[in-house]
Amino acid sequence: PDGAADLDRLNAQGYNITSVDANSASLVVTAEELLWLAADGYDVSGAEKHARKPIATPGAKGLGVYHSYTTLTSELQAYAAAYGSGQNSNAKICKLVSLGKSTQDRDIWAVKITDKLSKEENEPEFRYIATMHGDEPVGTEMCLYFIDILLTEYGSDSRITDLVNNTEIWIVPLMNPDGLEAVERFNHNGIDLNRDFPDWPSGFSGTIFDGAPLNDNGREAETRVIMQWSAEQSFVLSANFHGGARIVNYPFDDDNKGSGVEAPSPDDALWQDLSLRYSTPNSPMFNNPVPDSPGGVINGSLWYEITGGMQDWNYRYLGCNDVTIELDATKIPNENQLDDLWDDNRESMLAYAEASHIGVKGIVKDKNTGDPLYARIEVIGNNQPVFTDPGKGDYHRLLLPGTYNLKISAPGYKNKRVRDVAVTDSEATTVNVKLKPAVFKTDLNGDGKTNSIDIQRMVTALLNTPDEKSCDVDSDGKLTVSDLQLIVTNVG
Ligand code: ZN
C-alpha cells in the first residue's frame, strides 16, 4: 500500500487528518464518515468515540493542573497585576491584552513580557500561541509554566533576565477558548482553525509589504483576531503548540506537492536548525517514532499536507518564522504528568525563544531625516524577505552562520546593497542602513517643468510601450500607475 497516496486521497476528499504514524493516520470524522472509510477498505478498528467530558479538575488554580477559560483568565490577571505594576521586585515586565473575542465572546488573551513595556525597542518580537485546537490543552499549560518562570526568575536568573530585557515576548496561551470549554478540536462553528488561514496562492499573492490585502473576509472570529494582530506586530519567530504526537514540523505544510513529499521553503536549513533547538533538549520528542523525522523534526508536507494552516501564512505573508510543535502523544494526558512535561519542555521553550537573536539585525532609516522606515530586507539568493518594524525601523533576519549579501529597499527610496555580512553562531551581526530618498524624474520631455505634456506622454507609454525605460519614474523596472501618480503629484 502507498500511504502517501492514501493521505492525498483522504485530504482531497476533505477528511481532517490530524496526525500520521508509521502505519496509520489519525482523522477526526463524523459517524457517517467512519462508515464510508470502513466501506472504502480502511481499517477503522482503532476508532474512538469523541467524549465530551470536561478536562479533569476544571477551575483549579496554579501550575500542574488543567485550566478552564475562567481560571486561566484570573491567573493571567493575577500575573499582570503582580508584575505589571512593579509591586514584585519593582519589575514592570508583564502586560495582559485582549486581542479580541472568540465566536462565543470569550477574550483571546495575549501576555506581553519585556523590560520596557510601552517603549518600541530595537528588539526581536517573539511569540508562542497555544491551543488553537481546543482538545489539545497541554500547550496552554506549558505557556503558563513559561510565563511563570519569566516573571518569577526575572532579576535572579541571568539567562531569563537577558531574554526578557532583549526580547519582546508575546504569549497567547489559548487561541480557541470556546473549543477548550467544549473539549473540542474545532471552534464553536465547527471549523478547524489550523485549516482556516488564507492559502497561497489563491488566498493572497505577495506579502503585506507589497500591499497584498489582509483579506480576512469569511474567516472565523479567532482566525481574524490572530491575523489582524499578527499584521500589526512584527514577529520574527513564533511557534504554535498542539498535541497528539511529539514532533516539530516546519513550513511548508502546503506547496502543492502532496502528502509524504518534502516541500522545502527557501529557509529549509534554517528551519531544521530552529526546530532542532526545540526538540534536542526534549528527549521524548527527539527520540519520537515518526518516520523521516530524525531528531524529532520534519517538514510539514513530508509528514502530511494540510491547506489553510497558520505557519505557512505567517511565513509567506508576514515574513514571520513559525513552526508547529506537537507536545505529547496523548492529546489530554493525565494532569499528574504536566510537571514532567514541563521538565521536558522548559529548556526547549527557552532555547527556541533565544533563537530570535541569531543572524543579522539593524535599523533602517531615512538618510536625510533619520526617520525609521518600513523596509524590505532580502538575502541575495534567498527569495524570502523580512520587513522592518515601522515603529522603530528595526529588522531581525534569522540566518545560520555564513557570509551573506543583503538588499534593502523601501518604496520611494534607492535600494541599497550590503556585501559580505559575516554571521556567526552567537549574537546577530548588526547592519544599520540609511536609505536615500529616490529622486524622481517626472519631467519626461526635459522642458524644465512637469505638466500635462508629461502626463500625456506617460499615459501613451502605459498604453502602447510598456517597455519604455525613460518613463519608469520610480525605476522599479516596470511602467505602472504609480509612475503616472508620481508625475501627477509633481505637476506645477
Ligand atoms: Zn492541533
Side-chain angles (χ1 to χ4, degrees):
D2 182 349
D6 274 346
L7 290 174
D8 280 338
R9 189 153 70 99
L10 292 168
N11 199 26
Q13 288 170 333
Y15 285 104
N16 194 344
I17 304 165
T18 64
S19 180
V20 174
D21 230 322
N23 299 307
S24 64
S26 302
L27 285 76
V28 178
V29 297
T30 63
E32 192 182 22
E33 287 171 334
L34 189 67
L35 293 176
W36 282 112
L37 286 170
D40 273 354
Y42 289 101
D43 176 5
V44 297
S45 56
E48 283 171 31
K49 194 170 178 197
H50 181 72
R52 275 181 174 268
K53 64 171 191 253
I55 294 168
T57 340
K61 183 168 162 39
L63 297 169
V65 290
Y66 284 112
H67 287 72
S68 65
Y69 167 75
T70 309
T71 59
L72 174 78
T73 300
S74 51
E75 193 123 322
L76 296 177
Q77 286 167 340
Y79 278 124
Y83 293 91
S85 63
Q87 76 189 60
N88 279 47
S89 66
N90 294 320
K92 297 183 189 179
I93 54 169
C94 174
K95 187 174 152 185
L96 180 64
V97 182
S98 173
L99 302 179
K101 298 281 190 179
S102 70
T103 306
Q104 290 184 300
D105 215 31
R106 294 185 174 96
D107 285 296
I108 298 173
W109 296 115
V111 178
K112 181 182 183 182
I113 299 178
T114 190
D115 64 333
K116 298 188 181 76
L117 281 173
S118 50
K119 192 165 176 262
E120 283 270 8
E121 292 191 276
N122 176 10
E123 291 181 351
E125 294 181 27
F126 175 83
R127 174 179 70 182
Y128 281 128
I129 295 186
T131 313
M132 63 199 294
H133 293 144
D135 62 346
E136 299 168 12
V138 172
T140 298
E141 302 307 325
M142 295 302 111
C143 283
L144 283 171
Y145 282 99
F146 189 63
I147 290 167
D148 192 71
I149 60 161
L150 294 184
L151 297 179
T152 60
E153 296 181 27
Y154 179 79
S156 59
D157 180 298
S158 63
R159 183 182 179 192
I160 285 173
T161 308
D162 280 352
L163 182 66
V164 171
N165 282 348
N166 298 311
T167 320
E168 185 176 318
I169 302 164
W170 287 88
I171 298 155
V172 178
L174 181 54
M175 177 174 160
N176 181 5
D178 304 347
L180 182 89
E181 291 296 293
V183 199
E184 165 72 60
R185 176 181 180 86
F186 308 111
N187 79 344
H188 183 67
N189 295 327
I191 301 297
D192 186 330
L193 299 178
N194 206 27
R195 308 290 185 275
D196 192 40
F197 282 78
D199 285 330
W200 174 279
S202 54
F204 62 98
S205 63
T207 66
I208 187 174
F209 181 88
D210 303 319
L214 187 66
N215 192 14
D216 62 357
N217 292 337
R219 306 287 162 194
E220 293 301 303
E222 298 82 4
T223 312
R224 283 204 313 275
V225 164
I226 295 299
M227 284 176 69
Q228 288 169 7
W229 173 60
S230 301
E232 287 161 13
Q233 302 290 131
S234 300
F235 290 109
V236 168
L237 184 60
S238 170
N240 62 91
F241 290 118
H242 295 253
R246 273 198 184 105
I247 198 165
V248 181
N249 95 66
Y250 51 86
F252 293 123
D253 271 334
D254 182 11
D255 203 19
N256 290 323
K257 295 213 159 69
S259 281
V261 181
E262 192 162 24
S265 76
D267 287 303
D268 196 57
L270 174 70
W271 283 120
Q272 290 180 37
D273 180 275
L274 292 170
S275 302
L276 283 167
R277 284 171 195 248
Y278 197 96
S279 67
T280 302
N282 186 326
S283 63
M285 190 180 283
F286 190 83
N287 298 307
N288 90 83
V290 176
D292 300 321
S293 67
V297 309
I298 193 169
N299 172 267
S301 175
L302 178 60
W303 194 22
Y304 60 96
E305 186 177 72
I306 66 165
T307 51
M310 184 165 74
Q311 67 178 14
D312 283 10
W313 180 81
N314 271 308
Y315 180 66
R316 284 177 161 140
Y317 183 70
L318 299 175
C320 162
N321 299 293
D322 191 24
V323 301
T324 302
I325 301 176
E326 306 272 354
L327 289 166
D328 191 77
T330 310
K331 288 195 178 199
I332 309 178
N334 282 335
E335 203 164 46
N336 62 16
Q337 290 176 261
L338 288 173
D339 275 347
D340 287 343
L341 278 161
W342 170 240
D343 282 344
D344 293 337
N345 284 282
R346 179 191 156 112
E347 173 61 27
S348 298
M349 288 182 79
L350 283 169
Y352 187 74
E354 286 168 339
S356 52
H357 291 275
I358 64 169
V360 186
K361 67 174 182 180
I363 293 185
V364 183
K365 288 180 175 174
D366 179 306
K367 189 175 178 28
N368 297 340
T369 64
D371 289 339
L373 293 180
Y374 187 29
R376 172 199 292 265
I377 289 76
E378 288 169 76
V379 174
I380 305 301
N382 177 325
N383 60 15
Q384 172 67 26
V386 302
F387 313 106
T388 58
D389 181 340
K392 183 79 183 174
D394 59 319
Y395 72 90
H396 307 266
R397 205 326 172 175
L398 306 189
L399 289 169
L400 295 176
T403 304
Y404 299 92
N405 298 321
L406 306 179
K407 178 181 160 192
I408 298 97
S409 54
Y413 290 82
K414 284 190 167 168
N415 296 341
K416 185 154 185 172
R417 284 179 185 247
V418 182
R419 299 197 158 278
D420 297 330
V421 177
V423 170
T424 67
D425 58 3
S426 54
E427 279 290 289
T429 305
T430 298
V431 177
N432 294 322
V433 175
K434 289 176 179 164
L435 293 183
K436 264 191 216 161
V439 181
F440 300 119
K441 189 181 169 294
T442 55
D443 175 15
L444 296 180
N445 64 349
D447 67 351
K449 49 189 183 289
T450 299
N451 57 21
S452 60
I453 299 168
D454 301 300
I455 294 177
Q456 187 58 53
R457 187 156 164 176
M458 181 73 222
V459 170
T460 307
L462 266 176
L463 294 174
N464 303 320
T465 54
D467 297 329
E468 179 58 53
K469 288 221 170 43
S470 68
C471 294
D472 182 10
V473 178
D474 58 12
S475 309
D476 67 348
K478 50 190 187 285
L479 296 197
T480 62
V481 173
S482 30
D483 297 303
L484 177 60
Q485 197 78 51
L486 284 165
I487 296 177
V488 170
T489 45
N490 268 13
V491 166

